[in-house]
Amino acid sequence: MIIDTHSHIYMAEFDADRDSMLMRAENEGINLILMPAVDKETYLAMLKTEENFPEKCFSMMGLHPCSVKEGFKGDLKIVAEHFEKRRFVAVGETGLDFYWDKTFTKEQYETFLTQIEWAKYYDIPVVIHSRNSIDECISTIKENQQGNLKGVFHCFSGNERQANEIIDLGFYLGIGGVITFKNSGLDKVMADIDMKNVVLETDAPYLAPVPFRGKRNECSYLKYVVEKLAEIKNVSEEDIASITTKNAKELFNI
């Protein structure tokens, strides 16, 4: 069994073949998929996917940093209302994104801090997006880590120092297709990282691994991440699957 801890399979890219895509995933041993929320435009699709596949797909709830605009307080209110109605496996994805636009940097921080507080209150993990902002996200977690905050730095692609700082905070590294990219350098970083600090993810439909780089990603492609990690760590693919599944179950309480 392998758990895909971060996959947007509710998005329109999968509307034509979601059932068969999930069957392909199951054939590769991936039978549990955690779905990060983005914003109010996609919550309904995410929750509907969970309803259609209740044994396979579990939802998170949150507001993505790229969706933080002028009306972010109203958007956070919508997220808060969802949390009042039911339990989710995590808060997220949240965090900071300084790649596309820095117009709403202050608002991104406020939104991130609000969601960190929700993670503490509901005692669930926080799933962190940190594009071009790993150090800033690490600092934010450090300032708010009082021993009861847990989570994962999704799509980790940083250096060894950053990896160790994240681990020292009690957080996991979310490893996906980037590790198969020739010049990412992530393979060298992961060579010295203990697998007990790692969970697997695809970020589908984004960041497809080699040999599908540049195409639509899907959950079944997680096998290429497992293969690459097994090669880097010089252990069996079964070991990678077993350890990361145990980590995901413990972190997300599933």
Side-chain angles (χ1 to χ4, degrees), residues 64-66 94-99 104-110 112 128-138 140:
H64 193 292
C66 290
T94 180
L96 305 168
D97 190 306
F98 298 152
Y99 177 79
F104 296 98
T105 295
K106 177 176 169 287
E107 292 83 355
Q108 281 193 36
Y109 270 106
E110 186 176 335
F112 187 19
I128 299 171
H129 174 106
S130 57
R131 192 169 188 189
N132 283 28
S133 62
I134 296 179
D135 286 331
E136 291 87 346
C137 286
I138 289 171
T140 303

Side-chain angles (χ1 to χ4, degrees), residues 1 15 29 37 39 51 65 96 108 189 215 235:
M1 179 180 174
D15 284 353
D39 55 33
E51 185 182 317
L96 305 168
Q108 281 193 36
V189 173
K215 298 180 180 176
V235 297

Side-chain angles (χ1 to χ4, degrees), residues 4-241:
D4 184 348
T5 64
H6 197 109
S7 193
H8 302 271
I9 61 165
Y10 52 86
M11 288 192 166
E13 285 90 338
F14 297 105
D15 284 353
D17 68 339
R18 190 170 288 108
D19 285 41
S20 56
M21 183 274 293
L22 286 170
M23 188 59 69
R24 288 192 293 274
E26 191 169 322
N27 289 340
E28 295 296 343
I30 297 130
N31 48 18
L32 199 54
I33 298 156
L34 309 187
M35 302 184 297
V38 174
D39 55 33
K40 62 188 176 187
E41 308 302 325
T42 52
Y43 295 153
L44 187 60
M46 178 182 71
L47 296 172
K48 187 68 178 170
T49 301
E50 182 184 53
E51 185 182 317
N52 290 340
F53 305 97
E55 302 299 316
K56 290 184 180 181
C57 303
F58 296 165
S59 295
M60 306 177 196
M61 180 50 63
L63 182 61
H64 193 292
C66 290
S67 297
V68 175
K69 309 293 181 190
E70 290 95 341
F72 78 100
K73 289 193 175 176
D75 292 335
L76 283 173
K77 188 169 181 251
I78 292 169
V79 176
E81 287 167 355
H82 277 288
F83 274 117
E84 286 164 9
K85 290 176 191 169
R86 53 159 285 189
R87 186 167 179 84
F88 291 88
V89 292
V91 177
E93 63 189 279
T94 180
L96 305 168
D97 190 306
F98 298 152
Y99 177 79
W100 295 108
D101 185 6
K102 291 188 176 179
T103 307
F104 296 98
T105 295
K106 177 176 169 287
E107 292 83 355
Q108 281 193 36
Y109 270 106
E110 186 176 335
T111 302
F112 187 19
L113 289 167
T114 297
Q115 294 181 88
I116 286 170
E117 289 308 308
W118 286 339
K120 290 180 182 178
Y121 179 78
Y122 289 107
D123 190 27
I124 54 177
V126 59
V127 173
I128 299 171
H129 174 106
S130 57
R131 192 169 188 189
N132 283 28
S133 62
I134 296 179
D135 286 331
E136 291 87 346
C137 286
I138 289 171
S139 294
T140 303
I141 294 300
K142 270 184 185 170
E143 290 161 12
N144 292 274
Q145 178 58 283
Q146 295 154 332
N148 61 338
L149 191 57
K150 57 194 172 186
V152 55
F153 274 66
H154 136 69
C155 192
F156 177 76
S157 55
N159 58 41
E160 193 169 348
R161 172 190 61 80
Q162 291 165 329
N164 285 316
E165 284 192 46
I166 289 165
I167 291 165
D168 288 345
L169 285 166
F171 274 62
Y172 288 82
L173 307 176
I175 302 298
V178 173
I179 199 159
T180 69
F181 298 175
K182 189 176 179 182
N183 297 315
S184 72
L186 190 55
D187 53 345
K188 294 178 179 65
V189 173
M190 292 308 297
D192 293 322
I193 298 299
D194 194 314
M195 288 304 300
K196 71 180 183 183
N197 303 302
V198 174
V199 293
L200 303 179
E201 59 172 65
T202 56
D203 201 22
Y206 315 111
L207 293 173
V210 174
F212 299 100
R213 189 174 181 181
K215 298 180 180 176
R216 184 193 78 170
N217 199 4
E218 62 174 71
C219 303
S220 65
Y221 297 169
L222 200 55
K223 72 176 182 178
Y224 297 101
V225 177
V226 173
E227 285 173 6
K228 186 65 178 177
L229 281 167
E231 176 193 318
I232 292 166
K233 306 303 288 183
N234 195 27
V235 297
S236 71
E237 291 172 26
E238 289 76 15
D239 283 345
I240 298 295

